[in-house]
Amino acid sequence: MDKLYIVKIGGNVIDNEENLRSFLAAFASIKEKKILVHGGGKLATEMAGKLNVPQQMVDGRRITDKETLKIVTMVYAGYVNKNIVAVLQANGCNAAGLSGADGNLIRAHKRISTIASAVDFGFAGDIDEVNTTWLENLLNENFTLVISPITHDKKGQLLNTNADTIASEIATSMAGRFEIVLVFCFEKPGVLQNAHDETSLIPALNKNSYKKLKEEKAVFAGMIPKLDNAFAALDKKVSRVVIGKAEDIKKLVTGLAGTSITNE
Amino acid sequence: MDKLYIVKIGGNVIDNEENLRSFLAAFASIKEKKILVHGGGKLATEMAGKLNVPQQMVDGRRITDKETLKIVTMVYAGYVNKNIVAVLQANGCNAAGLSGADGNLIRAHKRISTIASAVDFGFAGDIDEVNTTWLENLLNENFTLVISPITHDKKGQLLNTNADTIASEIATSMAGRFEIVLVFCFEKPGVLQNAHDETSLIPALNKNSYKKLKEEKAVFAGMIPKLDNAFAALDKKVSRVVIGKAEDIKKLVTGLAGTSITNE
């Protein structure tokens, strides 16, 4: 089976043009099949400020009202997505930018408030289905796909979906077709023994060592959902999940940097 | 050869949500292969106003400075493009939205000021090449393509290109591969004998009758470049060019409404 790297980048890469360009040059040089999933960074918040659209966040997630959906569609699917594609093209990488609406790539439904979570997230989309056939065709035609976190419900409504979730769902959906390495880029070099010491990187984690770390309370709060999601992806046949810094992308995919999470 | 309809819509369709939805429902029901090229409408100008980015127009063309390029990329390639795709998907039409950067679909260069026209149009793109191979593949996989007028120079720069020009260039580039009908939607039912009388429609035009109309000064000023472009497309093997109202789209493609411009 061919390898497929699915890489998610967030605000800390996108917000700095120089960082983004150097990341994209390194990413473009990766020879294997690859998908880049991007968030939006600060630009959506900035744009909302300039347009006087108040932003409300609950547990780090944006409440997507009608005007905010317009802004994230413009910023994520328009500005950020097309600029990334243009820079990858300039680096000799045949990139194509897609949202979840294009070719019905990612069908979702508007998140429903539950008893457990009565928060109305507005036009937030929870994923129903990934169009794996089309993704596989495009990858086999040697396109590098750049995916913005805008989905649709196939009833004409666009929705805003968390970019981490999109990367995970694409990874697990494609797991039978390729050998998947799922990479989450964030501001730290990986999972740290000591959150304040960047040299205390844990290079590898499996279920046993993770359990031990949790018992020792060595993993900090924000890391736990990330790692739980990583292990859930492994249960769904993803080969490896890597967490680390975007600037190390070439080493992250080969396991020479970051924290590699595996079943081994 | 299979038929391919290339349809360009502008502000008068895009600016009114109800008109746009009813146009898209009709467009979606067309069985033949089809490409929709859209402009941006008033939204880009509105957005520029809200963001305090002054807009300068020369001969009906927008001067695209850096901030304006950001706005048109957000509005055209993001908001307008993805909403059109979502509505087509809801109408059972497998649409995919692309800019000229995606898959190097339309390569362009920044317009150069000449002695004849010393105007600096900023990041305006004049087209060098259309990726006809990829377009043909996507059409043969039964995708309906929705193309925003944002191109790139393959050196990392996005560019703003006139949507009429994009429709024409795609039409002439694809002419050897399909039997092309190129449709321009605008606010009038077609070419009129009397610009103030909508019932004075001229249903068909060829080079001879056009020459006669010009001699009689029956075609009004704004129409002449449109018609000159239409005849230029016919010279490059486009089968038929139709000019008419978006609401008549199903009749325009079959020649039952609008003005059909042919070599016959």
Side-chain angles (χ1 to χ4, degrees):
Chain A
M1 257 195 303
D2 277 354
K3 268 200 176 135
L4 170 61
Y5 298 132
I6 299 171
V7 178
K8 188 257 166 176
I9 53 169
N12 63 316
V13 186
I14 296 165
D15 291 335
N16 180 310
E17 200 179 318
E18 207 178 307
N19 288 356
L20 180 59
R21 285 193 176 251
S22 98
F23 167 80
L24 292 174
F27 178 77
S29 74
I30 295 171
K31 293 278 172 287
E32 286 82 6
K33 295 186 192 307
K34 53 199 183 296
I35 294 175
L36 184 63
V37 179
H38 62 85
K42 283 185 204 145
L43 189 59
T45 308
E46 259 176 48
M47 199 55 66
K50 285 185 188 166
L51 297 171
N52 290 312
V53 176
Q55 296 295 286
Q56 210 192 328
M57 306 290 280
V58 174
D59 299 334
R61 299 209 167 191
R62 202 184 289 274
I63 304 285
T64 313
D65 61 12
K66 201 180 167 214
E67 284 304 306
T68 300
L69 179 66
K70 193 169 175 173
I71 291 168
V72 296
T73 304
M74 292 196 306
V75 171
Y76 302 167
Y79 185 75
V80 175
N81 192 269
K82 298 317 164 198
N83 274 287
I84 289 176
V85 168
V87 173
L88 287 175
Q89 286 281 348
N91 281 280
C93 169
N94 195 12
L98 298 171
S99 74
D102 297 305
N104 191 25
L105 194 66
I106 307 171
R107 190 168 52 78
H109 62 269
K110 191 167 176 292
R111 186 173 303 155
I112 302 148
S113 305
T114 59
I115 298 169
S117 162
V119 180
D120 179 3
F121 284 95
F123 295 101
D126 287 331
I127 297 175
D128 293 314
E129 197 178 10
V130 174
N131 184 343
T132 51
T133 307
W134 191 36
L135 270 185
E136 185 176 9
N137 287 351
L138 287 166
L139 292 166
N140 285 336
E141 292 169 54
N142 287 318
F143 285 102
T144 291
L145 304 173
V146 181
I147 297 179
S148 66
I150 301 295
T151 56
H152 79 143
D153 66 359
K154 223 178 177 296
K155 295 171 193 158
Q157 181 63 56
L158 294 172
L159 295 164
N160 183 17
T161 296
N162 179 275
D164 280 18
T165 308
I166 287 193
S168 296
E169 289 274 347
I170 291 175
T172 54
S173 308
M174 297 297 282
R177 299 168 188 248
F178 295 96
E179 182 194 331
I180 310 279
V181 177
L182 174 59
V183 181
F184 290 102
C185 297
F186 80 137
E187 69 278 6
K188 304 262 178 189
V191 182
L192 304 176
Q193 275 285 0
N194 174 350
H196 304 289
D197 177 6
E198 297 223 341
T199 66
S200 69
L201 176 76
I202 300 166
L205 266 182
N206 61 22
K207 273 186 191 174
N208 288 336
S209 53
Y210 177 45
K211 201 180 156 198
K212 228 171 117 189
L213 276 181
K214 277 204 285 191
E215 284 164 2
E216 293 166 2
K217 303 205 187 299
V219 282
F220 58 97
M223 206 44 149
I224 292 176
K226 268 192 208 297
L227 290 171
D228 286 344
N229 285 336
F231 284 105
L234 296 182
D235 285 342
K236 292 181 179 165
K237 312 289 180 216
V238 168
S239 302
R240 191 157 52 90
V241 180
V242 189
I243 299 182
K245 279 195 172 171
E247 64 195 70
D248 295 329
I249 184 64
K250 291 205 72 173
K251 290 184 178 174
L252 292 180
V253 294
T254 53
L256 295 173
T259 300
S260 277
I261 299 145
T262 60
N263 279 322
E264 306 298 300
Chain B
M1 255 194 304
D2 275 354
K3 266 198 177 137
L4 170 60
Y5 297 133
I6 300 171
V7 178
K8 188 258 168 176
I9 54 169
N12 63 315
V13 186
I14 296 165
D15 291 334
N16 180 310
E17 202 180 317
E18 206 178 308
N19 287 356
L20 181 59
R21 286 193 175 250
S22 98
F23 167 80
L24 292 174
F27 178 77
S29 74
I30 295 171
K31 293 277 171 288
E32 287 82 6
K33 297 188 191 305
K34 53 196 183 297
I35 295 176
L36 184 63
V37 179
H38 61 85
K42 284 182 203 148
L43 189 59
T45 308
E46 259 176 49
M47 198 57 66
K50 286 184 187 166
L51 296 170
N52 290 314
V53 176
Q55 296 295 287
Q56 211 192 328
M57 307 289 282
V58 174
D59 298 335
R61 298 210 169 192
R62 202 184 290 272
I63 304 286
T64 312
D65 61 13
K66 201 180 168 215
E67 284 303 306
T68 300
L69 180 66
K70 193 168 174 174
I71 292 169
V72 296
T73 304
M74 293 198 303
V75 171
Y76 301 167
Y79 185 75
V80 175
N81 192 268
K82 299 317 166 197
N83 273 288
I84 288 176
V85 168
V87 173
L88 287 175
Q89 286 281 347
N91 281 281
C93 169
N94 195 12
L98 298 170
S99 74
D102 298 305
N104 191 26
L105 193 65
I106 306 170
R107 188 169 54 77
H109 62 269
K110 192 167 176 292
R111 184 173 304 154
I112 303 149
S113 304
T114 59
I115 299 169
S117 161
V119 181
D120 180 1
F121 284 94
F123 295 101
D126 286 332
I127 297 175
D128 293 315
E129 197 178 10
V130 175
N131 185 341
T132 51
T133 307
W134 191 37
L135 269 186
E136 185 176 9
N137 287 349
L138 287 166
L139 292 166
N140 285 335
E141 292 169 53
N142 287 318
F143 286 103
T144 291
L145 303 173
V146 181
I147 298 180
S148 67
I150 301 295
T151 57
H152 79 143
D153 66 359
K154 223 178 176 292
K155 295 170 194 159
Q157 181 64 57
L158 295 172
L159 295 164
N160 184 17
T161 296
N162 179 274
D164 280 18
T165 309
I166 288 193
S168 296
E169 289 276 346
I170 292 175
T172 54
S173 308
M174 298 296 281
R177 299 168 189 247
F178 296 95
E179 183 193 331
I180 310 279
V181 177
L182 173 59
V183 180
F184 290 103
C185 297
F186 81 135
E187 68 280 4
K188 304 263 179 187
V191 182
L192 304 176
Q193 276 284 1
N194 174 351
H196 306 289
D197 176 8
E198 296 222 342
T199 65
S200 69
L201 176 76
I202 300 166
L205 267 182
N206 61 23
K207 274 187 189 171
N208 288 336
S209 52
Y210 177 45
K211 200 179 157 200
K212 227 171 118 189
L213 276 181
K214 276 204 286 193
E215 285 164 0
E216 294 166 1
K217 303 204 186 301
V219 282
F220 58 97
M223 205 45 150
I224 291 174
K226 268 192 209 295
L227 290 171
D228 285 345
N229 286 336
F231 284 105
L234 296 182
D235 285 343
K236 292 180 179 166
K237 312 290 179 215
V238 169
S239 301
R240 189 157 52 90
V241 181
V242 189
I243 300 182
K245 278 195 174 174
E247 63 195 69
D248 295 329
I249 184 64
K250 290 205 72 174
K251 289 184 178 173
L252 291 180
V253 295
T254 53
L256 295 174
T259 300
S260 276
I261 299 143
T262 61
N263 278 322
E264 307 296 301

